[in-house]
Amino acid sequence: MKLIKAYDMDLNEEWSTLLQELLVASFPEVYPKDRLYFKQIPHCRILAFTSDNQLIGHVGLDYRIMNLNGNAIKVLGIIDLCVSITHRSQGIGSFLLAEVEKLSKGHIDFVLLFADQEDLYSKNGFKTVNNTCKWLKIDHETLTTIGVGIQKVEGLMVREVGTMSWSEGELDFLGYLY
């Protein structure tokens, strides 16, 4: 398996098509069928290919400053981690998470995500947290700003990768929710 770090502006038509197919197959009920992002384009992506160039895995990454209880923190957000149905339960998701951890060493305080499969993330060092979140609400269908959300959001998980410890309280995303 080979991993490629990619930016949307550099994706060719073939990779864009393969990525769209993977995302829609992985999130069939919710993923837009006409684009490669849900609400915003990730800052970069890690794509996993087989030796015969079949796209089998993806993780989008969003790097930003957030505010945790009045303190600026550097966060690498995981967006739309997925593995093709035919290649699941083979450690590819964990392999992608290990690559994210490598990228975050020395530069990031926390890796953050919203999980629908908490077991995968728990076994890879993530913990569930219960913060009140504040974020810019975006309608993913019309791509319009519809307000500011303030509430606890289920599935919020973090991994401490820097020297700071996570604390409960208020987390301001200073932007959209993944």
Side-chain angles (χ1 to χ4, degrees):
M1 179 173 42
K2 65 181 173 184
L3 298 179
I4 297 175
K5 190 170 157 186
Y7 301 92
D8 279 48
M9 62 188 162
D10 295 329
L11 292 176
N12 61 33
E13 190 173 329
E14 177 188 0
W15 282 12
S16 294
T17 300
L18 293 172
L19 181 54
Q20 178 68 38
E21 290 170 358
L22 177 63
L23 291 166
V24 170
S26 299
F27 308 104
E29 302 296 319
V30 297
Y31 219 85
K33 311 233 182 313
D34 62 343
R35 61 181 193 250
L36 298 176
Y37 58 92
F38 191 68
K39 294 179 185 173
Q40 272 296 346
I41 297 170
H43 290 130
C44 72
R45 302 173 188 267
I46 300 172
L47 305 175
F49 290 88
T50 61
S51 58
D52 61 347
N53 292 323
Q54 179 183 3
L55 179 63
I56 57 171
H58 163 271
V59 62
L61 300 173
D62 184 88
Y63 177 54
R64 72 167 90 152
I65 295 293
M66 293 184 185
N67 182 316
L68 179 62
N69 297 316
N71 298 305
I73 57 172
K74 293 178 184 175
V75 175
L76 187 60
I78 291 180
I79 304 169
D80 301 332
L81 175 84
C82 59
V83 175
S84 69
I85 294 166
T86 57
H87 289 82
R88 291 184 183 162
S89 300
Q90 296 177 27
I92 297 167
S94 293
F95 190 70
L96 287 166
L97 289 172
E99 188 66 21
V100 170
E101 183 180 359
K102 281 187 222 172
L103 290 172
S104 66
K105 288 294 184 192
H107 308 286
I108 307 294
D109 299 314
F110 304 99
V111 179
L112 181 143
L113 58 88
F114 290 95
D116 55 357
Q117 301 290 324
E118 292 185 13
D119 290 348
L120 169 66
Y121 301 107
S122 293
K123 77 177 186 179
N124 283 283
F126 287 82
K127 65 179 181 181
T128 301
V129 295
N130 193 28
N131 295 72
T132 298
C133 298
K134 182 177 182 180
W135 72 96
L136 183 65
K137 293 172 78 173
I138 298 173
D139 181 306
H140 72 275
E141 292 176 353
T142 63
L143 294 177
T144 57
T145 302
I146 56 176
V148 175
I150 302 174
Q151 68 184 58
K152 292 186 179 185
V153 182
E154 287 195 34
L156 178 60
M157 299 185 80
V158 298
R159 179 163 185 180
E160 298 170 354
V161 292
T163 58
M164 298 177 69
S165 296
W166 188 265
S167 58
E168 298 293 324
E170 295 182 11
L171 174 63
D172 189 336
F173 273 68
L174 302 176
Y176 74 102
L177 203 65
Y178 306 130

